[in-house]
Amino acid sequence: MGQGGGDDGKVLDIRISDIKAAAPMFHTQATNLSTALTNLVTTLDGLGKPWGDDEQGKAFGAKYSPQQHTIEKAAGILVLGLTSIHEALVDMADGHVDNDLLIQGMFTKVKATRPGSDGADQAGGGGAR
């Protein structure tokens, strides 16, 4: 970073607008995955073992049934992960705004004047004594 041939010298280029634009996508996808997981669980529970009693159905059931709870748990973890990313991006964007304001305040030039002075240089300029 900062040393490549075509590099513009930027180490990290974070745009708050990009973070804020990306955050809702993770929330939407978490909601979609949660809905799909709920549909999967409730439908399969309601249907029992809908894959049938033929050779292919038995083969599928033999592989799926022992892993069903693991699959459901993994999908639930993905929902939580997507939700966490959404929340982290929102917090990160807010943090960058707060940090930018703090840094701006640290580097704002403040003109110091001494009481009773007109703001002229008081450092002992070049006058004769």
Side-chain angles (χ1 to χ4, degrees):
M1 291 185 177
Q3 294 180 1
D7 195 353
D8 61 2
K10 290 183 182 178
V11 175
L12 186 60
D13 185 22
I14 298 174
R15 293 190 178 100
I16 297 166
S17 60
D18 291 344
I19 295 171
K20 287 183 176 185
M25 176 182 59
F26 287 94
H27 174 70
T28 300
Q29 296 308 321
T31 301
N32 291 344
L33 182 57
S34 179
T35 301
L37 177 59
T38 301
N39 288 340
L40 173 70
V41 171
T42 57
T43 300
L44 287 180
D45 286 349
L47 295 174
K49 295 181 179 182
W51 37 85
D53 214 16
D54 62 354
E55 185 180 329
Q56 289 179 339
K58 287 180 183 178
F60 176 82
K63 298 282 184 183
Y64 178 77
S65 293
Q67 299 298 320
Q68 180 178 357
H69 293 292
T70 303
I71 293 167
E72 292 167 1
K73 184 177 178 181
I77 290 169
L78 288 172
V79 170
L80 293 175
L82 291 169
T83 301
S84 295
I85 292 170
H86 167 256
E87 292 171 358
L89 288 174
V90 170
D91 289 346
M92 184 187 299
D94 291 345
H96 278 290
V97 169
D98 293 343
N99 192 47
D100 286 350
L101 293 173
L102 176 65
I103 291 171
Q104 181 182 0
M106 291 170 51
F107 291 101
T108 300
K109 291 184 180 182
V110 177
K111 230 181 189 178
T113 57
R114 296 183 187 155
S117 90
D118 61 1
D121 183 23
Q122 298 287 325
R129 294 194 174 216

